[in-house]
Structure formats: C-alpha cells, structure tokens
Amino acid sequence: MPVAETTVVRARVALGGTVQGVGFRPFVYRLATELELTGWVCNSSAGLVVEVEGAPGRVDRFLERLEGEMPPAAVVLTRETAILAPAGFQNFEIRASDEDAAKIAGVLPDLATCPACLQELSDPANRRYGYPFTNCTHCGPRYTIIEDIPYDRPRTTMRAFMMCPECEREYTNPEDRRFHAQPNACPRCGPRVWLDGQPEQGAPIREAAGAIRSGGIVALKGIGGFQLLVDARQADAVARLRGRKRREEKPFALMMPTIEMVRQYCHVSGAEERLLTSRAAPIVLLRPNGNSMIAPNVAGSSPYLGVMLPYSPLHHLLLRECDFPIVATSGNLSDEPIAKDNQEARARLGQIADLFLMHDRPIARPCDDSVARVVRGRESVMRRARGFAPLPVYVGRDLPAVLAVGGHLKNTVAIAAGRQVFLSQHVGDLDTPESRQAFERAIDDLCRLYRFQPEIVACDLHPDYASTRWAQSCGLPVIEIQHHHAHAAACAAENGIEGPYLGVSWDGTGYGTDGTVWGGEFFFVDGAQFERMAHLRPFRLPGGEAAVREGWRSAASVQWAAVGPDAVADRPERSVLLRMIERGINAPWTTSVGRLFDAVASMAGVAQESRFEGQAAMLLERQIGDLATDESYPLPDGDWAPLIEAVHQDVARGEAAARIAARFHNALANWIVSVALRAGVERVALSGGVFQNGYLVERTAALLEERGFQVYTHQRVPPNDGGIALGQAVIAALRG
Ligand code: ZN
Ligand code: ZN
Ligand code: FE
C-alpha cells in the first residue's frame, strides 16, 4: 500500500576525469558527513561513484558543493546524476574499489570544448587562434577517435599526425594543460578543414557560413559524423533539406551560437541550462516561447524545439560567423546510419548537400548527437550517443558477462561487467543492411574496447528482429526477454529498485508472450518474475504493420467496435478495412497504447497518418498547449469502448481538439492510478516510448505522488527502445 510522503532521497553521481588518486574519496566522505548524509563512495573503472542519502535539501546541497569544493587536483569531465529509491544506509563509508575497475580501462565520451580552449580560439595572439581542432586534456574528441585501448595517441585516429615541437612540448610537460592530451594539435601539425573540391586557401568556414546564409545545405564533418546544416529561419531551405533527405516531418534539431540566443527562442530552466552547457552538450528538448523567427517546418509536429550549443571549435567558429540558429541534423538519408568518412559522405550525401565542409581527422566510430530533456526536474536522456557513450550505467548488483543486443528500432547494445552496464551509442533502426552492419560493428567495438567475452546473450522475444536473429546465430547461450518486461526492468534498474514494483510499460509495439502485439501493459514485478496484471483491452489492427503508419486504421477498428460501422470514416478503403476487422483477416490483436493514441488523434482530426514513429501522439500532446484541466474520459479497467464513444460524441459536437487531447491524456493517467491502487505496491516504474510524452509523465507522476506512491521514470537511459538493452542485461543476470 502507498506510504506517507518520502522524507529521504538517494542520489547517485558518477564522475569521470581526474578523480582518482587526488583525494576525492576522503573529500566526499567529509562533505557527506558534514551534511549528515549516509551512503558510500568508491572508485570504478570509469571514475568515481558516489551515493548519498538523506533529506532532499541536504542532498541538493551535496550535489551543488561536490564540484565547487573538490580537491584542486581533481578534474571532472563527465558527470551523470540519478535520483534513486532510498536504500536505508546506516552510515557513510569509503568502499573498496570495484573489482572490475582494474580490468577495464575507462573510455571517456567526447567532451565539448572547455572555456580555456575557447579563450585561445578567440585570442588573435594565440597560436591556435581560429584553429578548429583545438583541444586539451579537459575537452575534445575521445570515444570517436579511439581505435583500441589503452588510450594512447598511436591507437587513435590522430596517429597519422606528427606533433610539431611546440605541441610535443605541451604533450610531454606534466605542468601543461595538454599533458598527454591524445588529440593535441595546432595549425602547424594537426588536422585541417576545407571545402570539398576547392583549393585549400581561403576561408572555408566563412564560406560555409555564407552558403548557409544564402539558403544552401552544408554537410559538415563534426565529431561523430557528418551533419547537414541549413538556416533555420528559411522555410524553403528547410523544406529542400527535408525533400532531399527524405525526412518529411520528423523534427530537426537546432544549433544556436550562445545560451543567450537559446533564451530568445525557448523557455530555459536552471536544470535545462546546466544540461545545455554540460560537457555532454546534448540536444535539449525545450518549450518554444513563441518567437516566430524559426521556420515552422523545423520542429514540425513536436511541441518542443530540440536545441544544442556548439560543442567543437569548428562548430563555435561556424556559429560565430552565422550568428543565427541553424538546423543541424544527422548526415544520412532517412533512417540510415550517420555518414562518417569523407568518401562515404560524398557518395551518400552528394545528392543532399550543396557544399561539404570536411576535415582529415578520421572518425573511428559513428556517434549521433544525443537528445535529452528535463522531466520532473531531472535529466532524462532520450537518445544516448555523443557525450554519453560509452559511459556505464550503474546497477545494484553484480551481473555476469551478458551481451544484450537490444530491440529493432532505436537499437543500442550493452555489455554487463560487474555492477556496470556499458551501453553503446544509439545505432538506429535495423531496417537496412547498413544499419545492421553498424549494429554488428557496435557489438564488436564494445567487446574489443572492454576486452569483454560474453557468456550469455540476451535478446528480445520477437523472432523477426534483426537483433534476435543475430543472437540466435551467434553460438552462445541465448536468453529471450519479453519486450515490455525489458522496458520496465531498465527503468527499475537505473532507479535502483528490484521489486516488488508495478511496471507500467506502454509503447507502440512489442511481441507478447501470447504472440499478440502488446503495448499497454501493467506488470507486477519481483526480481526476474513478472505477472501481467492488467492491460489495455485488445483491439484489431487492420493491415498489421500498415496501421503503424496509418492511424486512421486503428481509429476505424475501435470506432467499429465501440460505436458501430457507421462511425467509421468514409474512405476508399473503408469496406475492405471493415471486412478485415470483422473477419479478423490480416488484423492482429493488439493492446498497444501507442495505437490508441493514433486512433484518438485520427478521430480528433489531428493526424490521419504518422510519417515517423510516434508522430500522431506527439501532435496530440501538442494540441493540449497551455490548457489546464482535470476533465477526463472514462477508461474503466483499460476498456477503451466508453472512451471512444465519448470522443466520438465530442467530435460530433465540435469540441476543441485541445480538450479532447487533454481528456484523453488524463484518462490514461487516471487509469494508471487506479491500477496502482489495486496492485498493492508502493513503487511504480513508468517505461516505454509512450512515456516520452511530457504531459503524460508529469501528470501521472503527480497524481501517483499525491497518493503516496514512489514514482520512477527514466533518467540515464531512454524510455523508448533505446533503453531495452539495459533491461535485457539485468533480467538475463537475474535468470542466469
Ligand atoms: Zn580544452
Ligand atoms: Zn603542433
Ligand atoms: Fe518498446
């Protein structure tokens, strides 16, 4: 049963950089005991891990003071924080180092340019003035240049560049900021940038900026691959990019030169600013503030603008020239992997870009820009790639050597070593030969970099996922894990709970244990066991896969069942569709909440089709805008029939789409509360792609917390299928 409001919180902080052998653990011990916090600190292969537990205010103060007062010799380069379920620590202790710490050398992610390098970049008297590959031990590329461990220049893509005497002096001087900075370089000896097909003289960055300003599409070789850039204020340029990239409506990310400019276009909270300006420098999803300078076809259906700040000197120099917001999207065609090599980019992006801004520092592995947002006041990573990969996620128990191969869409893979799960960068959808190749490379890569020998392989239960097929043919023992169980377990694991808890797993599609399409599941979970205690009432999905793209098919199905055949919209395919539903031909059963979103979006006239996964749901969320209401549709025990009837009546009487959308979202939140009250547990974990919906997460969490539940949402791994691999690894360990 729900308990009284929590008065104790636990926070886990993972720090990377120069944090070992500099007096960091005793310092943490002193700070924690001064603030009367319990917990522990220990060295790990990727740096230092701290857990503190106590009153929320004291934990906040600890998190604030940690970096401000740390030992002078310490340098924090990466920091990941998560708020966890309380563990009931009795004291604060310095724990022995993680057993695996010695075995695995930490590989750092790519780090955004540091203030000192930025300063040199703009100082005309400095020898690196305007040099686009300036970096030091505190910043610059890491994961995308390392070819093998240990991390040393001959094993990076910088090995072809001979350091000049001055760079060599910096590199070998322990007092210097560039002591052992493996990508160290300068204009004399390092990589250079050019416009493809043009002589190397001139000002390539300024010319590229000029091309963008005049509406051109520029392909820029960045840190983890090529990006495609256009002026975000020019709708026709954006439309041209969409056409050539065959990305009709999926939102584009933006890059803006300064945080001040971000504030001109978006609401930015303190937590959002910290995320934007962090060394990970992800794309942050922000609420636009109505400034209309950004072309409407940039964000498309999204209620948010995805914005990042420049994170390499090359980006800083280009954005300084531009001084306006630019679209910065992955250099690929549709959903293929990002292009990373010069030759490859010319071949694959030649039909898209007007101009190529290239350089000669090879990229060892592709890494897209990461996407994150602030949910419930906490960081939540939606796509884990540049800036985060390959940092581990820490879990509460020792895991055997599991390789988890993830799902099919938004694929990532993971390896478990001790209490750490190392996640690959976002690989993408495994629909093309190119992406399946990228998937296999990601596995090879992780295993090689961490000298990892998998003993068990964990995969999805779906027999047709490319990742499952790979697992079945790899020759190792395989554990198949139900998709939504993996979602819930991922959320529980990164929040430090094992059970019992209520796992709410909602998404578009996942293979159920009964062979039907699941996606609206409530699991009672305890350890490796789960009981499907509730789910959405099943409905038929006429056309199967086609219904994922065409939401009006789901609408027809539920309208037919709830209101009658007359309610089904008149379309050319109507009679064929009705026959499919009635007779159950090519119309599999589903309990997918994602598809119910499609149905309601279609009925409300918001979206008849989805050009990308989750588009209709995104549009429906956006409809709500600033509308605040507690009104709700009935959804008794997950039976959508009364809800569909009510939507049908609202539509008939011309009710505003905003109200319909709000009532629908509220009905879903209320349903979760009613199941939670029945479940008899105090912990609720929300996972699955549906919970990328900000309105739904915030509302559900608030309602549950009001009633005394402890609510867990994703922080370090995505709620979507990008987080599946973590859940697979943890469940395989519990079963194995
Ligand atoms: Zn630096
Ligand atoms: Zn040099
Ligand atoms: Fe899923």
Side-chain angles (χ1 to χ4, degrees):
M1 275 294 99
V3 291
E5 202 189 324
T6 344
T7 51
V8 166
V9 296
R10 172 167 57 134
R12 179 189 287 151
V13 191
L15 300 173
T18 312
V19 291
Q20 298 184 359
V22 290
F24 217 118
R25 284 177 301 168
F27 153 72
V28 169
Y29 179 87
R30 283 194 302 274
L31 183 61
T33 37
E34 183 199 318
L35 290 166
E36 294 171 33
L37 297 169
T38 57
W40 52 268
V41 56
C42 111
N43 281 335
S44 87
S45 62
L48 191 95
V49 191
V50 189
E51 286 195 6
V52 287
E53 184 167 294
R58 289 171 186 274
V59 169
D60 283 348
R61 247 166 292 149
F62 177 89
L63 296 176
E64 275 164 28
R65 289 173 60 183
L66 187 60
E67 275 181 75
E69 299 174 18
M70 69 188 185
V75 181
V76 171
L77 297 176
T78 64
R79 173 174 176 155
E80 290 202 88
T81 307
I83 303 299
L84 314 180
F89 299 124
Q90 294 304 308
N91 55 9
F92 194 91
E93 55 176 354
I94 298 181
R95 285 192 183 166
S97 295
D98 200 326
E99 277 290 292
D100 296 286
K103 279 187 257 164
I104 306 170
V107 179
L108 282 175
D110 304 299
L111 305 163
T113 312
C114 76
C117 285
L118 209 49
Q119 167 63 36
E120 292 176 344
L121 197 64
S122 10
D123 174 7
N126 192 283
R127 70 191 191 96
R128 290 191 176 85
Y129 175 62
Y131 181 57
F133 303 95
T134 302
N135 68 82
C136 72
T137 45
H138 303 174
C139 74
R142 297 286 186 276
Y143 185 52
T144 54
I145 60 164
I146 186 169
E147 292 175 322
D148 204 352
I149 55 166
Y151 178 55
D152 210 355
R153 189 152 170 135
R155 280 174 293 271
T156 70
T157 62
M158 283 298 291
R159 68 190 140 82
F161 299 93
M162 255 296 248
M163 270 186 275
C164 70
E166 261 180 292
C167 286
E168 185 78 40
R169 253 197 306 279
E170 296 165 335
Y171 184 85
T172 49
N173 175 8
E175 304 293 302
D176 198 276
R177 204 173 90 240
R178 297 196 162 92
F179 178 57
H180 284 182
Q182 306 307 346
N184 189 28
C186 79
R188 263 184 74 193
C189 66
R192 55 194 77 240
V193 67
W194 70 87
L195 286 173
D196 206 37
Q198 293 189 23
E200 280 199 32
Q201 296 89 343
I205 298 175
R206 187 168 308 151
E207 278 184 51
I212 295 172
R213 194 177 296 110
S214 53
I217 300 173
V218 171
L220 167 138
K221 185 177 183 183
I223 294 290
F226 276 80
Q227 290 171 314
L228 294 163
L229 315 174
V230 287
D231 184 345
R233 304 165 304 177
Q234 299 182 40
D236 50 346
V238 176
R240 205 155 44 239
L241 175 58
R242 286 198 176 280
R244 291 191 199 165
K245 194 174 142 73
R246 285 187 234 149
R247 173 148 150 169
E248 295 162 296
E249 292 176 14
K250 204 167 172 182
F252 280 143
L254 295 163
M255 188 178 275
M256 300 191 190
T258 59
I259 185 80
E260 288 73 30
M261 189 180 285
V262 181
R263 279 202 207 90
Q264 283 174 32
Y265 293 95
C266 305
H267 300 285
V268 185
S269 71
E272 285 163 343
E273 176 166 345
R274 278 194 294 281
L275 199 48
L276 280 163
T277 57
S278 69
R279 286 295 158 77
I283 296 165
V284 181
L285 301 183
L286 301 168
R287 289 218 163 265
N289 64 12
N291 186 325
S292 58
M293 287 286 279
I294 309 277
N297 54 350
V298 169
S301 17
S302 175
Y304 307 98
L305 284 177
V307 186
M308 64 187 141
L309 290 172
Y311 51 80
S312 78
L314 182 54
H315 287 106
H316 278 286
L317 294 167
L318 181 73
L319 270 286
R320 219 173 272 172
E321 291 288 337
C322 288
D323 205 32
F324 53 78
I326 60 171
V327 163
T329 186
S330 304
N332 55 13
L333 190 65
S334 191
D335 290 319
E336 287 177 2
I338 187 169
K340 71 175 180 65
D341 300 326
N342 292 347
Q343 262 314 98
E344 180 196 4
R346 284 183 196 111
R348 286 177 53 201
L349 309 178
Q351 304 298 312
I352 304 176
D354 301 312
L355 200 62
F356 284 84
L357 189 56
M358 283 185 170
H359 63 71
D360 53 1
R361 184 176 68 199
I363 297 171
R365 61 187 56 73
C367 219
D368 286 89
D369 292 316
S370 291
V371 182
R373 72 197 292 186
V374 174
V375 179
R376 303 170 67 216
R378 302 168 191 174
E379 284 181 17
S380 180
V381 176
M382 317 300 274
R383 180 165 79 191
R384 214 178 147 89
R386 178 192 50 76
F388 295 114
L391 289 176
V393 170
Y394 295 85
V395 296
R397 64 157 63 211
D398 279 323
L399 306 183
V402 182
L403 162 68
V405 296
H408 187 78
L409 299 176
K410 300 185 170 68
N411 179 273
T412 58
V413 298
I415 55 174
R419 298 189 162 210
Q420 306 182 80
V421 179
F422 293 89
L423 295 168
S424 75
Q425 69 277 25
H426 166 85
V427 174
D429 301 351
L430 304 184
D431 289 325
T432 60
E434 289 83 6
S435 58
R436 287 194 286 272
Q437 218 174 349
F439 160 79
E440 290 183 19
R441 282 207 52 181
I443 293 174
D444 284 351
D445 231 24
L446 270 188
C447 292
R448 197 167 40 87
L449 277 185
Y450 291 100
R451 302 290 187 256
F452 179 80
Q453 290 277 3
E455 286 157 18
I456 310 168
V457 176
C459 67
D460 198 275
L461 195 59
H462 200 305
D464 298 331
Y465 279 4
S467 52
T468 305
R469 287 202 301 266
W470 184 91
Q472 300 294 4
S473 63
C474 75
L476 288 165
V478 173
I479 299 186
E480 295 171 343
I481 287 144
Q482 201 280 325
H483 187 91
H484 302 94
H485 186 201
H487 269 308
C491 183
E494 67 154 317
N495 279 288
I497 60 170
E498 281 198 346
Y501 65 89
L502 176 69
V504 186
S505 246
W506 289 2
D507 64 3
T509 306
Y511 195 82
T513 54
D514 58 2
T516 69
V517 182
W518 288 9
E521 316 307 312
F522 290 89
F523 294 146
F524 182 88
V525 189
D526 204 355
Q529 307 305 316
F530 76 96
E531 180 198 327
R532 190 187 187 203
M533 67 166 291
H535 56 78
L536 192 71
R537 175 184 158 188
F539 58 91
R540 288 204 180 270
L541 217 48
E545 275 292 300
V548 177
R549 290 181 300 276
E550 301 174 12
W552 60 269
R553 290 171 180 263
S554 293
S557 174
V558 291
Q559 282 175 300
W560 173 81
V563 191
D566 293 346
V568 177
D570 197 17
R571 303 177 68 109
E573 314 89 327
R574 187 174 177 277
S575 59
V576 181
L577 203 74
L578 285 179
R579 220 173 308 134
M580 286 165 109
I581 299 167
E582 279 168 32
R583 300 184 190 170
I585 305 158
N586 188 21
W589 289 106
T590 187
T591 56
S592 165
V593 171
R595 298 291 83 81
L596 190 65
F597 262 96
D598 295 347
V600 173
S602 165
M603 290 173 69
V606 170
Q608 302 308 326
E609 291 175 17
S610 286
R611 301 289 171 88
F612 59 91
E613 202 204 7
Q615 186 186 20
M618 200 181 253
L619 280 162
L620 203 59
E621 179 193 355
R622 191 170 118 143
Q623 288 299 318
I624 303 174
D626 293 326
L627 177 66
T629 175
D630 292 329
E631 292 166 8
S632 168
Y633 291 126
L635 184 59
D637 293 328
D639 179 3
W640 37 261
L643 179 144
I644 293 301
E645 251 184 275
V647 175
H648 183 76
Q649 282 164 18
D650 272 356
V651 171
R653 76 165 78 94
E655 186 60 274
R659 284 223 115 70
I660 296 175
R663 287 171 183 161
F664 172 63
H665 281 76
N666 294 349
L668 293 170
N670 292 343
W671 179 34
I672 293 174
V673 173
S674 70
V675 177
L677 286 168
R678 215 169 60 222
V681 290
E682 57 194 50
R683 295 162 165 185
V684 183
L686 308 177
S687 187
V690 166
F691 293 104
Q692 294 173 106
N693 183 315
Y695 180 93
L696 185 65
V697 174
E698 300 276 0
R699 178 152 184 113
T700 306
L703 291 178
L704 287 169
E705 281 169 347
E706 262 172 39
R707 286 162 181 78
F709 290 99
Q710 288 158 27
V711 183
Y712 300 99
T713 48
H714 282 284
Q715 300 177 71
R716 308 310 334 164
V717 304
N720 58 49
D721 286 7
I724 287 277
L726 173 63
Q728 291 174 343
V730 173
I731 299 169
L734 287 170
R735 290 221 191 121

